[in-house]
Amino acid sequence: MKTPYKNIYDVLKLNRFIVLATVIGAVLTCIVSVLMVIKLHRESMDNAFVVNGDGSVIPLKMVSQLENLEVEAKAHLELFHRYFYGIDVSNYENNLEKALWLGNSSVDALYRQKKAEGVYNRLLQYSLVQKVLSIASKVDLQSEPYRFETVTVFEINRGSVTDTYELTTTGNLIHVDRNFPNNTHGLLITNFFENTLKRIENYESREK
């Protein structure tokens, strides 16, 4: 007895169903995989891991990393401002060279502008001493590049006269490769700008 052939349309419908089911299954698998990767990425961003002495894995929260970044960012800004603004006849070349390692072309452009205006010539001519008294920085670490604002108080000793000034500077910080000893924090100042400069009176009494 001959086996009856199946209706060709039934066979096509079955094949189409199998193909559609396969495609839908593949799409669902891809979607689930992407969601899992996103979830894993978020969890890894919230946690860092170190291996303890006994081999166990210890999670460290991102907040700890941000605290470390804030310390390094403020240390980088303080180092730069002390080098760039704390200058006298004996150290200005060495200090400015160190400061230029900590910033990009915006810092170099400001240095060249000051040089063209005769700032460093007057330093040599009159044996001026520019001493940094305090540095206070605020850094926004929400996203890179990190926006900062720094208030630097410094005095200029002209021999018989000493004037005190408050300078507000702004810019951004970005990550770069660490370079010892030129850039130990692995950060670079960009878009550096001197916003305001004002003379202040009785700085010592204000500090007290």
Side-chain angles (χ1 to χ4, degrees):
M1 183 177 179
K2 294 183 178 180
T3 303
Y5 291 103
K6 293 184 178 180
N7 188 299
I8 185 65
Y9 294 107
D10 293 338
V11 174
L12 291 176
K13 287 181 180 179
L14 179 61
N15 288 342
R16 185 171 63 177
F17 173 78
I18 294 174
V19 171
L20 287 175
T22 303
V23 171
I24 293 173
V27 171
L28 290 176
T29 301
C30 292
I31 293 174
V32 171
S33 299
V34 170
L35 293 176
M36 291 294 292
V37 170
I38 293 174
K39 181 181 177 182
L40 181 62
H41 175 71
R42 288 178 177 174
E43 290 178 353
S44 64
M45 288 298 292
D46 289 335
N47 297 277
F49 300 91
V50 296
V51 179
N52 200 6
D54 59 1
S56 60
V57 178
I58 304 174
L60 298 175
K61 292 297 182 181
M62 180 63 75
V63 63
S64 176
Q65 296 180 358
L66 289 177
E67 288 174 355
N68 293 336
L69 177 58
E70 183 179 11
V71 170
E72 291 213 59
K74 289 185 176 180
H76 184 88
L77 291 170
E78 178 161 352
L79 193 63
F80 167 78
H81 285 80
R82 288 198 181 277
Y83 281 147
F84 200 73
Y85 296 104
I87 54 177
D88 57 39
V89 174
S90 64
N91 69 12
Y92 85 99
E93 289 184 334
N94 186 45
N95 277 14
L96 291 174
E97 181 181 355
K98 292 178 179 178
L100 291 175
W101 275 96
L102 306 179
N104 74 343
S105 58
S106 62
V107 173
D108 183 67
L110 180 60
Y111 159 72
R112 293 180 184 276
Q113 177 185 336
K114 288 178 178 290
K115 187 175 182 180
E117 292 173 352
V119 172
Y120 306 119
N121 285 337
R122 289 194 294 274
L123 184 79
L124 296 172
Q125 183 178 357
Y126 300 106
S127 298
L128 303 179
V129 177
Q130 188 167 294
K131 179 182 178 182
V132 174
L133 302 179
S134 68
I135 299 171
S137 296
K138 296 179 181 178
V139 187
D140 183 1
L141 301 177
Q142 294 300 316
S143 61
E144 189 174 353
Y146 310 116
R147 182 73 176 168
F148 73 82
E149 178 181 277
T150 300
V151 177
T152 304
V153 177
F154 63 91
E155 64 179 19
I156 299 180
N157 188 319
R158 298 180 173 87
S160 59
V161 179
T162 300
D163 294 321
T164 305
Y165 298 90
E166 181 181 274
L167 172 68
T168 301
T169 56
T170 58
N172 298 324
L173 285 173
I174 61 173
H175 278 104
V176 294
D177 292 337
R178 294 179 188 268
N179 185 324
F180 182 84
N182 298 314
N183 190 334
T184 56
H185 297 106
L187 295 167
L188 192 72
I189 295 171
T190 65
N191 299 322
F192 186 68
F193 186 73
E194 292 183 341
N195 291 79
T196 60
L197 175 66
K198 62 181 181 181
R199 183 178 174 181
I200 58 178
E201 303 289 345
N202 302 322
Y203 174 73
E204 292 182 357
S205 61
R206 286 171 56 181
E207 285 293 290
K208 294 177 181 179

